[in-house]
Amino acid sequence: MARIVMKFGGTSMAGIERIRNVAARVKREVDAGNQVAVVVSAMAGETDRLVGFCREASSLYDAKEYDVVVSAGEQITSGLLAIALQAAGCKARSWLGWQLPINTSDAHGSARIGEIDTAALDASLAEGVVAVIPGFQGVADGQRVTTLGRGGSDTSAVAMAAAMKADRCDIYTDVDGVYTTDPRIVPRARKLSKVTYEEMLELASVGAKVLQTRSVGLAMKENVRVRVLSSFEDGDTNDGHRGTLIVGEEEIDDMERQLITGIAHDKNEAKITLTQVSDRPGSVAAIFAPLAEAGINVDMIVQNVAHSTGSTDVTFTVPAADLARSLDVLDKAKDAIGYATIVHDTRVAKVSVVGVGMRSHAGVASTMFTTLGERGINIQAIATSEIKVSVLIEEDYTELAVRVLHTAYGLDAEDAA
């Protein structure tokens, strides 16, 4: 008997028929003798609808009341799934965040999970009752409902798996696993059977939309085995060939290991350049300190060689959604920074290659730069980590860059159509 957490996203819960399909999948695990907890998202589009109501009611809404409203979507699907499971012959009940409880910080709208009390849940699971838990929410100070931020149901599922000491956390989405790149761009992309936590964390952070970044970081910290599956494929979830396992590096043997695991892209980037910044100690800090205080994440940074005039240009990227706020912060700090002008560009994209094999193989960056150069694709900025190389390019070249890099690193599937 195994203890399993199953998480279903909004597309999986979009209507009663799909909820019945989810109930059938859960029942198969129960019939196999497993203890099952299910974490659910709101129906597709429901959270956006609720957010719209809050904004319509007031542009300056109370964050605590916002959480009360937007958490309702998951409450509805958890109750409906419990009803569907009961109709299918399973013992089931819903557990809201405050009933477990799932204790979080009081940062409403972006709360972080602290601890989860599973005593009552463990007793219920031992009696063969399926637990249905709304994702994306918890409780602060034992009183107020909190939410974890968009995509937070993935984090809820991993946190529940860690607290329950589950054998596995199955995350069902509208894709059947993690691919070497977006198969809509590269039809010859291959589905990966296993990916390390570190690789998945990097892929998620640079544009892959399969899992939320926070959930992968938590899985790595708590050593939770995660499987990504499609909720639209039939079959037994115990089939080891289905989906993609996110695991520790020690679970991937040398035969399965490859130099590059995947290629991701992100068009939600904006480039900012400050011209004629004074070339003196502390000038760069004067740029990034106010951005950090405003909670704006800066990614790629390029500082040009100093001009003979004693000044330099500094270029960096921020999320496109934060561009207006970034420009406002920098404008207010202009005297402290000492720059001439601000130039910004949203017609850029970040393309990244990721793989743990980079640690022991040279030439990964060289291959990337050469391949892009041969296709006339100019690199505007570069960022690296131990297992990732990212470049900033003109947005119009994104798909071409992904395709040629996928081929250059030998990732194309041999038997793809």
Side-chain angles (χ1 to χ4, degrees):
M1 179 177 68
R3 178 172 278 196
I4 299 170
V5 172
M6 304 172 72
K7 182 266 175 178
F8 293 90
T11 54
S12 305
M13 307 298 291
I16 297 301
E17 283 306 312
R18 289 192 178 180
I19 290 174
R20 288 194 182 113
N21 177 61
V22 168
R25 290 180 179 278
V26 174
K27 188 175 187 298
R28 282 201 291 268
E29 293 288 1
V30 174
D31 290 344
N34 297 321
Q35 293 182 351
V36 182
V38 187
V39 175
V40 295
S41 297
M43 292 184 184
E46 181 66 8
T47 301
D48 288 337
R49 189 176 74 94
L50 296 172
V51 170
F53 285 154
C54 291
R55 290 173 176 167
E56 187 177 346
S58 173
S59 59
L60 299 173
Y61 52 74
D62 183 338
K64 296 182 178 66
E65 302 306 334
Y66 169 92
D67 277 356
V68 171
V69 174
V70 299
S71 63
E74 282 75 14
Q75 178 173 329
I76 291 168
T77 50
S78 61
L80 289 173
L81 180 56
I83 291 171
L85 284 166
Q86 292 165 3
C90 291
K91 292 190 290 184
R93 66 151 292 183
S94 61
W95 295 82
L96 301 186
W98 60 268
Q99 292 173 316
L100 285 169
I102 300 173
N103 296 300
T104 74
S105 66
D106 62 358
H108 289 270
S110 59
R112 303 192 75 84
I113 296 175
E115 59 181 11
I116 302 174
D117 186 345
T118 64
L121 181 65
D122 290 337
S124 182
L125 290 171
E127 294 175 359
V129 180
V130 176
V132 186
I133 303 163
F136 177 61
Q137 67 177 251
V139 60
D141 300 325
Q143 296 180 333
R144 297 305 303 252
V145 172
T146 57
T147 62
L148 311 182
R150 300 308 293 264
S153 291
D154 284 353
T155 301
S156 297
V158 173
M160 285 305 309
M164 293 165 50
K165 296 180 171 54
D167 296 282
R168 192 177 71 241
C169 178
D170 288 342
I171 295 185
Y172 288 81
T173 70
D174 54 1
V175 296
D176 61 349
V178 179
Y179 281 75
T180 48
T181 195
D182 188 340
R184 292 170 298 182
I185 295 177
V186 183
R188 297 177 68 86
R190 292 185 288 108
K191 187 175 71 175
L192 301 165
S193 60
K194 293 180 181 178
V195 177
T196 69
Y197 294 124
E198 288 179 279
E199 289 170 325
M200 194 66 242
L201 189 61
E202 289 282 17
L203 286 168
S205 68
V206 295
K209 302 296 191 298
V210 180
L211 291 174
Q212 188 210 37
T213 305
R214 277 175 63 186
S215 69
V216 182
L218 182 60
M220 180 166 66
K221 175 177 176 289
E222 300 294 339
N223 199 32
V224 175
R225 299 177 86 246
V226 175
R227 193 203 303 265
V228 178
L229 299 157
S230 171
S231 58
F232 303 108
E233 279 193 348
D234 292 328
D236 180 6
T237 56
N238 291 314
D239 179 357
H241 298 290
R242 294 187 63 232
T244 299
L245 274 172
I246 316 299
V247 294
E249 191 172 345
E250 67 280 358
E251 287 198 46
I252 301 180
D253 60 38
D254 290 336
M255 292 294 291
E256 297 174 298
R257 196 180 306 277
Q258 51 192 22
L259 175 59
I260 297 300
T261 296
I263 298 171
H265 70 282
D266 188 359
K267 295 182 179 181
N268 298 310
E269 295 279 321
K271 182 178 71 170
I272 298 174
T273 299
L274 302 185
T275 66
Q276 298 181 39
V277 177
S278 177
D279 186 28
R280 55 179 173 76
S283 59
V284 173
I287 297 172
F288 298 114
L291 291 171
E293 290 172 4
I296 298 170
N297 292 322
V298 174
D299 186 10
M300 300 176 169
I301 302 173
V302 176
Q303 182 172 355
N304 296 334
V305 175
H307 304 303
S308 58
T309 57
S311 65
T312 184
D313 297 339
V314 178
T315 298
F316 54 93
T317 61
V318 298
D322 289 333
L323 175 60
R325 204 153 52 95
S326 300
L327 295 176
D328 181 61
V329 168
L330 293 168
D331 182 63
K332 291 176 180 177
K334 183 173 182 178
D335 291 340
I337 298 170
Y339 62 85
T341 60
I342 298 181
V343 180
H344 65 273
D345 187 0
T346 57
R347 297 166 299 175
V348 294
K350 179 169 62 178
V351 176
S352 308
V353 296
V354 176
V356 292
M358 291 187 195
R359 290 181 178 143
S360 54
H361 292 80
V364 172
S366 175
T367 298
M368 186 180 200
F369 303 155
T370 300
T371 301
L372 295 177
E374 289 173 349
R375 291 303 185 112
I377 301 173
N378 185 47
I379 296 172
Q380 302 179 23
I382 301 168
T384 65
S385 74
E386 191 178 21
I387 63 169
K388 174 201 74 183
V389 180
S390 296
V391 296
L392 192 72
I393 63 173
E394 187 178 332
E395 184 181 45
D396 291 345
Y397 290 104
T398 306
E399 294 188 3
L400 174 61
V402 170
R403 287 196 296 270
V404 298
L405 290 172
H406 198 268
T407 299
Y409 289 110
L411 297 177
D412 291 348
E414 294 180 2
D415 57 350

